[in-house]
Amino acid sequence: MSVLQKNITIKFLKIITLITLIFSNSLAFGAISYVDDIDVPPNDQNGQNIPHGVTFNSDGTKMYIIGSSANRIIQFTLSTPFDISEATLLAGSICTEGFAGDGLKIIFNSDGSKFFLVDDATQDVEILTLTTAYDISTCSNTGSKDFGTTNLRDLKFSNDGKKVFLYDQGGTHSLKQYSLSSAFDISNPTLVTTYTGTSSKTLKQLTGNENKVNGLAFSSDGSKMFVTNDTKIIEFTLSTPFDLSNVTFEGRENVSDQVLKISGIAFNNDGSKMFIVDFTSTETSDIHEYDLSCGFGVKKCIDPTNNKDDVASIESQSEASKKLIQHTTYPVLNRMEWLRRNSGRINLTNQNIKFQFKNEMLNTLSDSLIPLYFSNDNSNELTSGNLGWSFWSEGTISIGTSGDTSNSSSKDISSSAITLGADKKGADNIMRGIALRFGSDDVDVGDLGSALDMNSFSLTFYESRPKGEDRFIDHLMGLSFINSDLINNSGSASTNGERYGEQLFGSLSLRDTLTNNKFNFTPKLKINYGLTHYGAYTETGAEGINLKFQEQYVGNFITSLGSSIDNTFDLNMGTIIPFFDFEYYADMSPSSKQKFSYTSDGSSYILEDINNSTHNLNSSIGFDFISNNGLTLMTKYTRDQAKHNKNDNFIIAFDYKNSSRSLYSMSIQDTSAKLSHDRELNNFNINIDSHYDLFKKDPDYGLFVKISNIN
C-alpha cells in the first residue's frame, strides 16, 4: 500500500468513525447493565417458588412478589429504595385474600390504599382494600371485575388512574385500552382500543412466539410501553402518553444471559432501574435488577423534546426572560408618562435619599456611579445625600396564561413586583432617575406539578429628554440578576434544578403630545431590546432522567406603536386625570435554542426555535390622583393579549412631595429590602419603617411607625 493510499484509508476511517459517533448520539440508544438478583424464598418459607409479578410502593422501600405456587402475596423491606440486594422478607406481611387460583400480578393505586390482583384461575381482577397504605397484612377483598378475557397476563393503569390496559394471551393475543369514569374504578370500563398481536399493523412486532406476552409496563410519563416474552423486552414509543392509537416499535432487548423466562417487569420511579421476574419451576426463581443508562432507555432514551411538559418548561424560561424586560421597563415608562401628564404640577423639592447595599458592587454604584449619573453643570460635588430627588414606588401584580399547543403544555403565570425609584429634574428640564425592582415570577407547567419559580433584582437608569414643548425622547438602560428554581415532574418522578442568569436591557420611546385645553392625545413609538444569559445547570432528584443543560442566550427585540389619551378634572381635594392607553407590539426576537443531555449517558438534544415572533395587543385604563397635600397616586389595569396567551396586570404607584427636613433610606441585605422615611414635624421626629422580601415562598411584608420628641 502506498503512502497516499494509506493516508486516504486513514482519513476514510476517521470520517466513518465520526459519522458513527454522530449517528449513535443522535439516536440516543439506551443501554442496560446487570446489577444483582435475589432468590425468592420457597413455599415452605412463606415465599413463592414460581413468581410472576413484582411491584414496589411509591418510595421504593417495600417490594411485593406474587406467584402461582402459593395463594399469597409476600412483602420485602428495602433499606435502600429500589435496591433489592438489601431486601428482607417481612414476616407476617402476607395477603391471602382474593385468591381462587394462581396469582399473576399485583397493581397498586396511586396512594396505596388498594390494589388489584390478576387471578389466572378465574380470569378476574380482584379488588383489595388496605386499612393501612401499602401494608398488605391489612388487606380485605372488596370486589372483582371480569373483563371477558381467556388468558389475562397483566394489567396497568395510567398515572391519573383514568385509563387501564390489559393483555389477553388467549385467542388472538389482544392488548386492550379502556377508559374509566373515575380514577382506579374498574367497575364500568369503556373499551377504547383493541390490538391483536397477530394481525395489527401497529403492534406487528408482536408476531409468532412474541405475541405470548407475560408482562406489561409503561414509563412514568406514559411515552413508552414495554412488553415481555421469554427472554426479550420489546420497547414501543407512544406519540401521545398512555394512548395506543399511535405506537412505534423501537427494538428488543435480550436478557437470556441472566433470565430463563420473563414473567413480569417493573421500573423504579425515574426509570434508572429495571426489575425482571424470572419465571421457572425450580427453586432458583429470581428477581433480577438492571441499571439503565437513561430513564426507561431499554433500547432508546426518551427524547425530552417530545415531552410537552419538558418543552413548556424550557419555553417558560425564555418567555420569563422576555417578560422580565417588559415588567422592568413598564414601571419606569409609567413613571415618565406620569411626569408628562403632571409636568405642570410637579414641584420637586430638596430631599435626602440614601442607598445602602450589603453587596459591595452595588455599594460602589450607589456611592460613585449614581451621583455621577445625576450630576449637572451647576454642581461638581454632588453626593447621594444632597441630590434633589423625588421619590416614587410602584407595585405590580400580574396573572396570565399560555395555552396548550401541539408541542408544549399550557402554562399559568403569576408575577408580583415592587419598584422603588427616585428622579430629579436637571438642566434643560431633563429628568433623570434610577429604579430598583424586586420581582417574583411563578409559572405552573402542565398538570403534573412542573413549575418555574424565578426571583429577580433589576437596576435601571432612565432619562426623559424634552424636544420642544410637548415632544419627548425617553430611554433607559439596566441590568437584572436572575435566580430560578425549576421542578420537572413526570407524575412518578421529579427533578429539581437551580439556575442563575444575568440580563442587559434597554428601551427607547418617542412621544409627541397633541393638546386641546386639558385633553391630551399622545402617539408613541417604542423599542425594547435586551440579552439574557442563563448559566449551565444540572437537574437532581431522579438519577435516570436527570438532564444537564448548557448555557443559553435569549435575545429580545420588541417594537410597538400606540397612543395615550388623558383628560384633567379639578376637584376640591385635588386633581384626577383618567387615561387610556392602546398599543400594538410585535415580538421580533431572534430564535433561541437550548442544548441539553442526560447526565447518565451523555445523549444530547437540542430544542430550537424557542422564541417565535408574536403579535400582541396591549390596552390600559387608569387614573392619576394628585392631592393638595403632596401625595399622588396612580392606578392602572393592563391587558396583554396574544393568540395563545394573555396577561392581566394591576399596577399601583405613589409619588411623594415633601419638605427638605426629610430623609429617605433604602437598603438591601440578602433578599430582604427595607425602606425608611424620617421627617421632622413640629418638634417631633416621625419614622416610617417598612420591609419586604419577595424571594421567600410566602412573601414577608411589614410596616412600623415611630413618633418621638426632638431633644
Side-chain angles (χ1 to χ4, degrees), residues 268 270-273 292-297 301 495 541-547 598-601:
N268 67 339
D270 61 20
S272 61
K273 290 183 178 294
L292 306 184
S293 62
C294 57
F296 302 97
C301 296
T495 63
E543 182 179 352
I545 57 176
N546 287 334
L547 295 171
Y598 283 106
T599 57
S600 51
D601 71 343

Side-chain angles (χ1 to χ4, degrees), residues 38 77-80 83-88:
I38 62 167
T77 59
L78 308 180
S79 57
T80 301
D83 184 0
I84 66 173
S85 66
E86 302 179 14
T88 303

Side-chain angles (χ1 to χ4, degrees), residues 181-383:
S181 57
S182 300
F184 300 99
D185 181 5
I186 61 173
S187 60
N188 190 26
T190 301
L191 181 63
V192 176
T193 305
T194 300
Y195 295 111
T196 58
T198 56
S199 60
S200 172
K201 292 182 179 180
T202 305
L203 299 178
K204 63 183 179 180
Q205 299 298 331
L206 298 179
T207 58
N209 198 40
E210 281 189 353
N211 60 32
K212 296 181 179 180
V213 170
N214 291 315
L216 175 68
F218 291 87
S219 62
S220 58
D221 64 357
S223 65
K224 284 192 175 186
M225 180 179 70
F226 306 87
V227 297
T228 65
N229 171 266
D230 289 339
T231 60
K232 298 175 184 174
I233 306 158
I234 304 107
E235 180 179 315
F236 299 87
T237 295
L238 312 182
S239 59
T240 302
F242 296 107
D243 186 354
L244 302 182
S245 61
N246 192 356
V247 181
T248 303
F249 170 74
E250 298 294 355
R252 304 174 183 87
E253 182 69 24
N254 197 322
V255 291
S256 59
D257 289 345
Q258 299 87 32
V259 182
L260 295 177
K261 187 174 183 179
I262 302 174
S263 62
I265 181 174
F267 296 88
N268 67 339
N269 295 333
D270 61 20
S272 61
K273 290 183 178 294
M274 178 178 67
F275 305 90
I276 297 295
V277 181
D278 193 353
F279 165 67
T280 66
S281 58
T282 68
E283 295 185 359
T284 59
S285 300
D286 298 323
I287 308 296
H288 300 270
E289 178 184 336
Y290 297 83
D291 280 343
L292 306 184
S293 62
C294 57
F296 302 97
V298 176
K299 292 303 295 183
K300 186 179 180 181
C301 296
I302 295 176
D303 187 350
T305 62
N306 293 330
N307 185 290
K308 296 178 67 174
D309 280 7
D310 286 342
V311 172
S313 180
I314 295 173
E315 288 180 346
S316 66
Q317 297 178 61
S318 298
E319 293 170 359
S321 67
K322 296 165 67 176
K323 287 293 184 183
L324 177 59
I325 293 177
Q326 186 181 38
H327 291 167
T328 303
T329 58
Y330 271 6
V332 176
L333 295 173
N334 289 338
R335 170 64 176 178
M336 288 189 281
E337 284 287 331
W338 184 91
L339 291 172
R340 177 195 62 80
R341 288 193 299 266
N342 300 277
S343 59
R345 300 174 178 85
I346 300 173
N347 181 21
L348 298 178
T349 59
N350 247 348
Q351 294 185 40
N352 294 324
I353 188 163
K354 295 181 179 181
F355 292 95
Q356 298 172 329
F357 304 97
K358 188 177 181 181
N359 184 281
E360 184 176 347
M361 181 188 70
L362 296 178
N363 263 327
T364 302
L365 290 174
S366 173
D367 295 338
S368 59
L369 183 57
I370 293 174
L372 179 63
Y373 176 70
F374 286 101
S375 64
N376 56 40
D377 297 336
N378 299 325
S379 177
N380 296 323
E381 298 183 357
L382 294 176
T383 66

Side-chain angles (χ1 to χ4, degrees), residues 515-531:
T515 302
N516 182 10
N517 196 9
K518 296 181 179 182
F519 178 83
N520 299 305
F521 173 74
T522 306
K524 49 190 175 182
L525 174 67
K526 183 176 65 181
I527 299 174
N528 281 352
Y529 52 91
L531 178 66

Side-chain angles (χ1 to χ4, degrees), residues 6 36 74 121 162 230 275 285 293 318 328 358 420 433 511 532 557 560 641 670 678:
K6 185 176 180 180
D36 203 354
I74 59 175
K162 292 295 188 68
D230 289 339
F275 305 90
S285 300
S293 62
S318 298
T328 303
K358 188 177 181 181
L420 306 175
R511 47 189 171 89
T532 305
F557 188 81
S560 67
Q641 185 69 57
D670 298 327
D678 291 282

